[in-house]
Amino acid sequence: MSQWARQKLTRSWWLFSELLGRVDAWNAAGEFTAEVQVLADRTALEFLTPAGFRPPVSEWALLVGDAVHNARSALDAEIWHLAHRDDGKPTNPTRVAFPVTSDARAWVNSIKALETVSADSLERARLAQPWVDTPQHPTSTG
């Protein structure tokens, strides 16, 4: 992983940890608990609070947004690094970004700008797509 991608990912984890710390502090200050849940499809966070209680949602939303932004920036930084590895010169460098697509067809179009990224690296990025149900891993035999 490139240095810049690692720094952005570390910052993302720090922000998520800060968020959870603030939720814990809010919970400790009252007679109720706000649970934080990641949805099963990993597309959202839910803050579950008792009716009538108003947690600092705006503050928490800023932390979530900053954490997600840094995580996304880490992916973009890593794809940029991979696209320029071994003196690679992408044809359209302004389109070099980590692709996130809604289906396999969109995937094919999105990786056209990543012609200097290795097939192995592109496959790892493909397996991270939200439309890929379960990554296929080769099985090893003893």
Side-chain angles (χ1 to χ4, degrees):
M1 179 180 285
S2 71
Q3 177 75 13
W4 186 249
R6 186 178 312 282
Q7 289 174 335
K8 296 301 278 182
L9 191 57
T10 298
R11 177 77 175 150
S12 177
W13 281 114
W14 183 88
L15 288 162
F16 274 122
S17 296
E18 178 70 16
L19 167 67
L20 294 176
R22 290 189 189 196
V23 170
D24 287 345
W26 187 81
N27 286 338
E31 298 174 12
F32 40 83
T33 300
E35 292 183 46
V36 179
Q37 294 181 349
V38 178
L39 296 185
D41 66 0
R42 300 179 332 237
T43 60
L45 288 173
E46 285 184 332
F47 295 96
L48 306 173
T49 61
F53 292 101
R54 304 279 308 169
V57 175
S58 294
E59 175 187 325
W60 295 354
L62 286 173
L63 285 167
V64 169
D66 287 348
V68 169
H69 172 76
N70 276 274
R72 172 61 198 216
S73 295
L75 292 171
D76 287 341
E78 188 61 18
I79 260 322
W80 179 266
H81 171 74
L82 293 170
H84 291 85
R85 190 181 224 170
D86 300 326
D87 296 322
K89 297 195 184 320
T91 306
N92 194 348
T94 60
R95 298 207 52 227
V96 173
F98 189 89
V100 178
T101 62
S102 58
D103 57 41
R105 186 175 175 172
W107 171 258
V108 171
N109 289 328
S110 73
I111 63 171
K112 289 178 182 173
L114 304 176
E115 76 276 8
T116 58
V117 176
S118 74
D120 287 343
S121 294
L122 287 175
E123 177 60 9
R124 291 183 75 183
R126 188 190 71 77
L127 292 173
Q129 298 304 302
W131 47 268
V132 175
D133 291 330
T134 53
Q136 299 299 314
H137 297 290
T139 57
S140 59
T141 56

